[in-house]
Amino acid sequence: MMRRFLLLFLLSLCCPVWGQQRNIYVERNMKELTVKPKRERYRRKGNPAVELMRRVIAAKGDHSLEKNDYAQYHKYQRLTFALNGITQSMVDSLRILRSPLARRQIEYCPQTDDFILPFHYAETASHHLYRRSPERRRDYILGTNS
């Protein structure tokens, strides 16, 4: 009885989540029990990618726009709302897709290997200005298209 209690206690230390199941084979003349996890914990020491990301995060403040007295940039934004996964059965069943105008709008997307039907498209070009003291931000819309 004491041996069984000791075994359950050691298992509870090894498996903090009770939903996990472990198969353990116990010999009758057991003097010592050692419980080890299957995988060791991942150590990031010696990984060049981790060191690179630490250096990038440390230098993040050096390249901020707010560090400069004045900053400006041009911004182009393209926004598309579309219906993904257009199939031939959808084209035949949906009444709106029966028109030749709507059928010409269906595009092929090579990244997803799928057909899409865009139903809203908007573009915006703007000029962004920033001043640190006194702090001021301005966005001048140069043009829109939808």
Side-chain angles (χ1 to χ4, degrees), residues 12-115:
S12 68
L13 292 177
C14 178
C15 307
V17 180
W18 283 100
Q20 293 178 348
Q21 180 179 353
R22 303 279 184 181
N23 293 332
I24 297 179
Y25 302 99
V26 181
E27 294 182 18
R28 295 275 182 207
N29 300 326
M30 177 175 60
K31 303 249 191 292
E32 182 178 324
L33 177 68
T34 305
V35 179
K36 293 183 181 179
K38 287 185 179 179
R39 284 182 59 189
E40 293 294 324
R41 186 173 171 259
Y42 173 69
R43 305 271 184 217
R44 291 182 245 178
K45 294 178 184 175
N47 189 342
V50 172
E51 289 301 318
L52 175 67
M53 289 310 298
R54 282 190 182 146
R55 288 176 39 206
V56 167
I57 291 170
K60 184 179 174 182
D62 298 340
H63 304 290
S64 175
L65 285 178
E66 284 79 18
K67 187 175 181 180
N68 300 320
D69 290 334
Y70 300 97
Q72 66 177 340
Y73 60 88
H74 292 279
K75 182 170 79 171
Y76 172 76
Q77 181 178 0
R78 179 179 172 184
L79 184 66
T80 304
F81 290 103
L83 182 63
N84 292 336
I86 300 292
T87 61
Q88 186 61 38
S89 63
M90 289 177 72
V91 172
D92 295 338
S93 66
L94 294 175
R95 180 178 288 175
I96 194 167
L97 292 178
R98 290 184 188 157
S99 71
L101 178 67
R103 285 184 183 217
R104 277 186 269 146
Q105 300 300 321
I106 296 175
E107 301 172 355
Y108 175 71
C109 181
Q111 287 87 8
T112 59
D113 195 33
D114 214 353
F115 289 96

